[in-house]
Amino acid sequence: MCGITGWVAFQHDLRGEQATLDAMTETMACRGPDDRGTFTTEHAALGHRRLAVIDLPGGRQPMRVDTPEGPVAMVYSGETYNFTELREELAGRGHRFTTSSDTEVVLHAYLEWDLALADRLNGMYAFAIWDGRHEKLVMVRDRMGIKPFYFHETADGVLFGSEPKAILANPGVEPTVTLDGIRELFAFVKTPGHAVWDGMREVEPGTIVTVDRTGSHTRRYWALRTREHTDDRDTTVARVRELLDDIVRRQLVADVPRCVLLSGGLDSSALTSLAARQLDERVRSFAVDFVGQTENFVPDEMRSTPDTPYVHDVAELAGTEHEDIVLSAEQLADPAVRRQVIRARDLPNGMGDMDTSLLLLFTAIRGHSTVALSGESADEVFGGYRQFFDPEARRAATFPWLALLARQRGARGQILNPALVENLRLDEYVRDAYRTSLSKVEALPGESALESRMREICYLHLTHFVRILLDRKDRASMAVGLEVRVPFCDHRLVEYVYGTPWSMKSFDGREKSLLRAATADVLPRSVVDRVKSPYPSTQDPEYARRLQRNVREYLSTDHQVFDIADRNWVREAARAERIDQPVRSGLERMLDIALWLDMYKPVLKLS
């Protein structure tokens, strides 16, 4: 995994812009601590920072092939899990390879199949190819949006990068956020293609963006399609297990130390146990915990049990070399750690202590491993969240997670300045996004109203909600140079399970029925019976008190944060004796916004 960036300018000679290219490239140093490289020609400049995972000496980038018509050069981030099969096929077609890396295979796949190469890839990737033969840039992103990819069109070309910070490092880009960007920041819907920063876009998952002298052109090579599922339950369970065994085998390939992120839930426990069966070496596993949390745990609406006992049950059964990363309230509330999170995300759109703990967890893991397997996205694929089963959330004419959040939080966590709320019209923005997405869901003739609605809910989670979490995990892990792989995002598994009816996804009356049935034989009974529990959050009241202290520092100032946040709300929350979860989340969000404004100094256009 790596960081990529670049600049194409058809009316400008970029050979004199090495200093700017270097500055853009260096913003990606955290994503690629092992090596750097650049490629420059008259109208194209590519930059790369490398995290070496496969073929450590041979996978240097940018990688190029010189042809009689001009050079074809590529910068690539991610992993292609079927590269060995593609390599054999390409070799049979006359291609010759000088490295063992998947990067070289992808480059030759483009030379052989042009844009059709994307249909053949299995993996997580974001890559850009400058095709000097035709003076065009080709940008490709994986189907599920695992790897981030941004671009910013200019008067005579385009800028691109793995993260917005690479594009913002170009002096031609003003860091501007308009009212529309603020809407996206607070809507919690992850509108496809939206990047918050004015003028910037995401390369949408499953698409190819080509830029040439005539402008930019987008082609979709993958989308969720509705197909009738004809397998019976036993066949379906067996197929899910067959796919998981193959996916885990492919995603364990690396020339560096590997590990598994273990939470004690069904998803991560299944991956841990399957990995332990496939590796010849002892699997390393890591879990996050908080000082005193297991001993003093109090069940709440979101979490009925602490993670640690289940984590240890899995580690014992699978025989992993396990370590709990135990964090304190002081670490979680540390403004320096929060700044690291903001720098990793480029935006204040985080999840409070769940973000700071994730960054601290990955920092600790990076001291032992370079690659980690994560259970992320299993809830979206198999139907694991509460909103899949909550009658009100199901019926709501909006994104189901927003309906559930509104009921849980009410107005107590509403931190926005009232004048800004009036201008934002967030309800209208969310409604438009919801209707646009629903219009893309393909119906299956003859299915019941319940099956049709549950297909819509699955679609919304797989095209919106999962991308919020994938982006969070990628940015936090790559901030410390850790490659996190997400087996449940393999498009073969996603397609297959998406096609199953809801009655089969929930055949035992519980969440993730198919996954539980497919992996029960490798799991401890405690995990099989455990109710879904989200990523952990600290219950230590000291954490909230530290948030209040940090917030008070802003109240006596005219900080720009109060153009967005409601000063009166913040004042009341800062002196409250009791802090519930919605108010705590509001304080976290206010601090994130303040730090983001200090660090990025964006030009805000809020009218």
Side-chain angles (χ1 to χ4, degrees):
M1 207 121 67
C2 308
I4 65 173
T5 189
W7 184 5
V8 170
F10 292 108
Q11 298 175 18
H12 188 61
D13 189 342
L14 295 180
R15 289 172 293 191
E17 297 288 352
Q18 187 64 45
T20 298
L21 178 62
D22 287 344
M24 295 169 65
T25 302
E26 289 315 297
T27 64
M28 298 290 95
C30 59
R31 299 184 70 91
D34 297 328
D35 197 8
R36 71 176 304 280
T38 60
F39 164 89
T40 308
T41 188
E42 184 177 3
H43 297 305
L46 309 179
H48 186 266
R49 290 291 314 210
R50 185 184 183 211
L51 176 64
V53 172
I54 293 175
D55 189 6
L56 307 191
R60 296 198 68 194
Q61 298 185 48
M63 195 170 282
R64 64 186 286 175
V65 172
D66 291 312
T67 76
E69 296 80 24
V72 180
M74 181 173 76
V75 284
Y76 171 89
S77 170
E79 304 292 344
T80 298
Y81 301 123
N82 64 333
F83 80 97
T84 53
E85 296 99 316
L86 290 174
R87 181 188 176 100
E88 290 177 4
E89 183 176 359
L90 289 165
R93 291 171 175 261
H95 291 261
R96 296 294 174 261
F97 298 92
T98 60
T99 76
S100 301
S101 72
D102 58 338
T103 304
E104 187 180 20
V105 172
V106 174
L107 179 55
H108 280 263
Y110 172 76
L111 294 172
E112 180 67 31
W113 296 301
D114 199 70
L115 301 187
L117 93 155
D119 300 311
R120 296 172 174 266
L121 302 180
N122 177 324
M124 55 176 189
Y125 45 80
F127 60 88
I129 297 173
W130 171 251
D131 191 337
R133 302 170 301 179
H134 308 292
E135 286 202 319
K136 68 177 181 180
L137 181 75
V138 177
M139 297 181 285
V140 184
R141 191 175 181 195
D142 66 67
R143 295 168 179 84
M144 293 295 290
I146 305 167
K147 303 312 299 172
F149 204 172
Y150 296 83
F151 69 102
H152 187 295
E153 293 189 59
T154 64
D156 69 335
V158 70
L159 300 162
F160 69 86
S162 291
E163 299 177 7
K165 61 175 66 70
I167 295 170
L168 295 173
N170 188 293
V173 177
E174 181 182 67
T176 301
V177 177
T178 66
L179 205 57
D180 192 59
I182 297 294
R183 291 187 184 104
E184 179 64 19
L185 195 59
F186 284 91
F188 200 54
V189 297
K190 190 67 172 171
T191 305
H194 208 303
V196 177
W197 296 98
D198 190 41
M200 202 179 297
R201 299 284 295 169
E202 284 192 358
V203 177
E204 288 190 36
T207 66
I208 302 169
V209 177
T210 303
V211 180
D212 56 25
R213 290 183 179 272
T214 67
S216 66
H217 316 274
T218 300
R219 172 197 165 206
R220 180 167 296 281
Y221 70 91
W222 186 84
L224 274 176
R225 301 294 184 200
T226 299
R227 297 180 179 87
E228 185 178 3
H229 188 77
T230 58
D231 292 344
D232 62 21
R233 183 198 301 174
D234 290 344
T235 304
T236 300
V237 169
R239 177 58 178 159
V240 168
R241 177 57 177 272
E242 179 185 20
L243 283 168
L244 284 173
D245 283 336
D246 180 67
I247 293 164
V248 171
R249 176 182 61 80
R250 291 177 182 276
Q251 297 199 19
L252 285 172
V253 174
D255 296 331
V256 291
R258 298 151 291 189
C259 70
V260 181
L261 307 179
L262 178 56
S263 70
L266 179 62
D267 323 329
S268 66
S269 299
L271 291 183
T272 301
S273 297
L274 293 175
R277 286 188 163 206
Q278 295 200 22
L279 280 181
D280 294 331
E281 63 196 62
R282 192 178 181 194
V283 172
R284 292 204 70 151
S285 59
F286 294 89
V288 68
D289 197 5
F290 309 105
V291 174
Q293 181 106 328
T294 300
E295 298 83 356
N296 304 304
F297 183 81
V298 178
D300 59 26
E301 188 178 5
M302 295 290 290
R303 301 167 181 86
S304 59
T305 54
D307 286 348
T308 300
Y310 301 92
V311 166
H312 292 174
D313 285 350
V314 176
E316 181 179 0
L317 181 66
T320 71
E321 183 181 346
H322 181 75
E323 182 176 350
D324 294 322
I325 307 301
V326 183
L327 306 174
S328 67
E330 181 180 8
Q331 290 174 285
L332 295 171
D334 186 349
V337 177
R338 193 172 294 278
R339 275 191 289 271
Q340 285 182 272
V341 171
I342 298 297
R343 180 61 180 166
R345 300 289 294 272
D346 291 314
L347 291 170
N349 58 356
M351 300 180 182
D353 73 301
M354 292 188 291
D355 269 352
T356 51
S357 68
L358 191 66
L359 182 70
L360 291 167
L361 170 66
F362 288 157
T363 301
I365 291 173
R366 188 59 176 90
H368 306 280
S369 301
T370 308
V371 170
L373 265 59
S374 165
E376 198 76 84
S377 81
D379 288 303
E380 291 81 2
V381 173
F382 290 97
Y385 294 118
R386 286 183 58 189
Q387 57 263 27
F388 281 91
F389 297 86
D390 185 281
E392 288 184 32
R394 280 179 172 180
R395 291 193 302 266
T398 189
F399 296 96
W401 56 91
L402 294 185
L404 199 64
L405 280 174
R407 195 169 75 229
Q408 291 172 344
R409 295 185 178 182
R412 298 193 308 284
Q414 174 55 272
I415 70 163
L416 292 176
N417 184 313
L420 179 60
V421 170
E422 187 175 345
N423 287 335
L424 282 177
R425 296 183 297 185
L426 265 182
D427 289 345
E428 181 180 330
Y429 182 80
V430 170
R431 184 168 59 250
D432 288 346
Y434 175 72
R435 290 173 176 172
T436 298
S437 280
L438 282 194
S439 69
K440 299 176 183 177
V441 182
E442 299 170 340
L444 192 65
E447 67 183 355
S448 68
L450 174 61
E451 287 290 349
S452 178
R453 179 54 180 164
M454 295 312 298
R455 186 180 305 283
E456 291 177 342
I457 289 175
C458 290
Y459 183 92
L460 294 172
H461 280 83
L462 289 167
T463 57
H464 288 265
F465 195 72
V466 75
R467 294 176 187 174
I468 297 172
L469 301 183
L470 289 173
D471 185 73
R472 166 180 175 259
K473 186 147 285 182
D474 173 89
R475 305 292 278 278
S477 61
M478 293 308 291
V480 298
L482 177 70
E483 175 173 299
V484 172
R485 300 177 177 179
V486 279
F488 290 110
C489 276
D490 185 293
H491 71 278
R492 299 169 298 162
L493 181 69
V494 172
E495 290 172 346
Y496 185 75
V497 178
Y498 178 69
T500 61
W502 179 248
S503 59
M504 189 175 289
K505 288 188 178 77
S506 58
F507 71 79
D508 61 0
R510 297 187 57 191
E511 75 283 356
K512 295 180 284 195
S513 306
L514 290 173
L515 178 59
R516 182 177 297 100
T519 58
D521 64 304
V522 298
L523 296 173
R525 189 75 240 171
S526 60
V527 171
V528 173
D529 293 337
R530 189 187 185 193
V531 176
K532 161 70 183 174
S533 183
Y535 181 88
S537 177
T538 182
Q539 296 184 339
D540 189 343
E542 176 60 22
Y543 173 70
R545 288 192 288 268
R546 287 177 178 270
L547 289 178
Q548 289 178 303
R549 288 200 291 271
N550 293 339
V551 162
R552 290 187 195 112
E553 297 177 10
Y554 292 93
L555 285 170
S556 60
T557 73
D558 59 354
H559 197 282
Q560 191 182 14
V561 68
F562 296 111
D563 291 341
I564 298 176
D566 182 355
R567 186 187 290 269
N568 290 330
W569 184 96
V570 174
R571 182 182 294 111
E572 290 300 315
R575 64 190 183 195
E577 292 185 7
R578 181 180 176 275
I579 300 292
D580 60 13
Q581 185 59 48
V583 174
R584 195 180 89 171
S585 295
L587 291 173
E588 291 171 325
R589 197 67 186 270
M590 178 264 168
L591 288 169
D592 284 350
I593 296 167
L595 289 171
W596 172 66
L597 292 170
D598 290 340
M599 295 166 65
Y600 284 80
K601 296 179 171 48
V603 177
L604 298 180
K605 297 182 178 180
L606 303 181
S607 60

